[in-house]
Amino acid sequence: MGAGHGHVLYRESASPVHRLPPEVKIVAMVVFTVAVVATPREAFWAFGGYALLVAAVAALARVGPGWLLRRAMIELPFVLFAVALPFLGTGERVAVAGLHLSVEGLYGSWNILAKGTLGVLASLLLAATTTSRDLIVGLDRLRCPQVLTQIATFMLRYLDVLIGEARRMRVARISRGDDPRFLWQLRGFAAGIGALFLRAFERGERVYLAMLSRGYTGRMPAVWQGAGAATTGQWLVAATVPVVAAAIAATAVVLT
């Protein structure tokens, strides 16, 4: 359990953002996202300010814009929905490039695109600068319910084991002439999924009993969490972005 676990989004670096404790980055990301969501959609300038904050953090973290933009494509379904709003919206309409678009739909589309994109970019920066293990440690230090952190811990620890088991089962099926690409062989595929579930359940039971025999009390040992919690100075440094974002949001609310 003590080994660090990376993930596909994590980018190894020695940047100042990477060195911050995970709990301060989690809180900063959440507060920043709340500030973005609370900003009136008519305050266009405010979203420009948020974009500058994201760009500044990305530069400090040494995360390139190309990497961020490629991973941000995950929001494409929401982008397609947002693009359709000006055509489907009701109420007052305005002519844009020969198209009669709904004013309310245009505002709604901008609201989804701006806030959704900023939220996705903030989440990507958190994932790029924090390992999966450190994310769980940070949640534990923030007093997240133990049940959730423990489930996430075991999922992180044994996900690769289960993927490897599923891969071996697939190779075994194919070596025996099975081809799951055909519809009439879905029964064998379903049976394999059931067998994988049973193996995972039995493995989890054995691991849990082994942990109980070694003194497990329902909480991960402190040594697993590594170094101590964040210092006051680290909290102050990490608070820079969310405080500025909160100030922008407050100003936008007052001026709108």
Side-chain angles (χ1 to χ4, degrees), residues 21-148:
E23 61 269 28
V24 302
K25 290 186 280 188
I26 293 173
V27 172
M29 189 274 291
V30 171
V31 175
F32 173 82
T33 304
V34 171
V36 170
V37 172
T39 303
R41 61 188 184 183
E42 296 83 5
F44 300 108
W45 63 269
F47 296 101
Y50 297 140
L52 290 177
L53 287 176
V54 170
V57 174
L60 283 174
R62 300 168 191 167
V63 178
W67 186 92
L68 281 174
L69 293 176
R70 287 193 300 271
R71 271 65 181 183
M73 294 300 291
I74 191 174
E75 67 166 339
L76 187 58
F78 300 97
V79 172
L80 296 177
F81 173 74
V83 170
L85 284 180
F87 300 95
L88 303 177
T90 58
E92 181 184 355
R93 306 189 81 83
V94 62
V96 178
L99 300 174
H100 294 281
L101 305 178
S102 166
V103 174
E104 188 66 23
L106 287 171
Y107 274 120
S109 178
W110 159 253
N111 194 50
I112 293 174
L113 288 175
K115 296 181 179 180
T117 301
L118 288 168
V120 168
L121 293 178
S123 301
L124 286 173
L125 284 175
L126 175 64
T129 58
T130 315
T131 64
S132 299
R133 173 191 175 279
D134 286 343
L135 284 174
I136 297 173
V137 170
L139 291 173
D140 189 64
R141 290 175 180 169
L142 293 172
R143 299 295 185 269
C144 184
Q146 282 294 304
V147 173
L148 297 181

Side-chain angles (χ1 to χ4, degrees), residues 161-171 173 196:
V161 176
L162 292 178
I163 292 175
E165 189 78 23
R167 187 178 295 112
R168 288 190 294 272
M169 292 173 62
R170 181 177 181 274
V171 171
R173 288 200 318 272
L196 180 63

